[in-house]
Amino acid sequence: MKIFVVSDTHGNIDEFVNFAKQLNRPDLIIHLGDYSEDGYEIEKRMGIDTIVVKGNCDFLDKRKTKEEEILNLNGKRIFITHGHRYHVKMDILNLFYRAREEKADVVLFGHTHIPLIFEEEGILFMNPGSTSLPRGIEGKSFGFLDLGEQIGGKIIKIK
C-alpha cells in the first residue's frame, strides 16, 4: 500500500496537487492537519481517498474531524496526529510513549513544518514537513509511506 502524507498546508494546496498528479498514484492520502479542509479538497481534486485529522489551526473545522486516529492498514497500526498536543516542537518523547501505548508500527505527525523520518524501537516516525510554509532548509515537502511486507518511507521535496 502506497500513501502520500501531507501536513500543514495552511490553505495552499495547488502546488502539492499539481506535483503529486505527476507521480505514481498512491492508494491513500493522509492529511495531518492545519487546514483540515485542505485534506478534503485534496481528496476531491486527486480523486483519492484521504484520511484527515485536525491540527491546532483547525478551530473553524465544521466536519467534527478527529484530532488523532489509529488506522489498521495492510496489517500495520498507524497512529496519526497533528502533534501539537504532544509538544513535538520541544521533543517527541510524549509522542513516543503514546505510540508505544498504542502498539503503533508507524507514527505520522506534523506541526513543526520540518520534515523528519527515523525509526525508534521498531516504530517508524514521520513528519512530512509542510507543503506550503516550510521551516528550516529543506523546502516544501510531503511524505511517502510504503506499507509492503517491510515498512518504508521517505520525504519528497516539491519541485
Side-chain angles (χ1 to χ4, degrees):
M1 177 174 235
K2 314 286 188 206
I3 302 169
F4 286 170
V5 183
V6 182
S7 189
D8 298 285
T9 51
H10 292 274
N12 184 359
I13 62 170
D14 293 339
E15 197 171 359
F16 165 72
V17 169
N18 292 336
F19 184 79
K21 283 183 175 180
Q22 298 173 35
L23 304 175
N24 289 335
R25 184 178 174 86
D27 301 302
L28 180 69
I29 297 173
I30 296 174
H31 189 287
L32 300 172
D34 273 6
Y35 285 44
S36 58
E37 288 297 321
D38 290 350
Y40 301 111
E41 183 63 23
I42 288 169
E43 179 175 55
K44 183 176 157 187
R45 289 195 201 175
M46 299 279 299
I48 298 169
D49 288 340
T50 302
I51 297 170
V52 181
V53 293
K54 67 180 177 178
N56 59 298
C57 292
D58 289 317
F59 36 81
L60 297 177
D61 180 284
K62 296 176 182 133
R63 299 176 190 242
K64 299 183 181 170
T65 304
K66 295 178 183 177
E67 291 193 353
E68 59 185 49
E69 280 196 58
I70 300 293
L71 308 173
N72 291 296
L73 301 172
N74 218 32
K76 309 291 190 257
R77 284 181 63 81
I78 317 300
F79 174 45
I80 64 173
T81 182
H82 183 64
H84 62 292
R85 295 198 179 269
Y86 296 95
H87 309 288
V88 297
K89 286 185 178 178
M90 308 267 283
D91 64 44
I92 62 134
L93 197 56
N94 292 327
L95 187 62
F96 171 74
Y97 287 134
R98 175 73 173 165
R100 282 184 36 191
E101 286 174 6
E102 292 293 345
K103 297 178 176 37
D105 298 300
V106 177
V107 177
L108 304 176
F109 68 102
H111 189 53
T112 67
H113 296 221
I114 300 169
L116 176 70
I117 187 167
F118 67 94
E119 188 174 320
E120 184 68 37
E121 292 190 21
I123 304 169
L124 179 70
F125 288 79
M126 177 192 287
N127 182 326
S130 173
T131 60
S132 65
L133 299 167
R135 293 188 180 129
I137 61 171
E138 298 296 323
K140 297 176 182 179
S141 62
F142 65 99
F144 174 77
L145 181 63
D146 187 352
L147 298 179
E149 285 186 34
Q150 299 288 321
I151 298 171
K154 65 181 177 179
I155 303 298
I156 298 175
K157 293 182 183 180
I158 296 174
K159 299 175 183 172

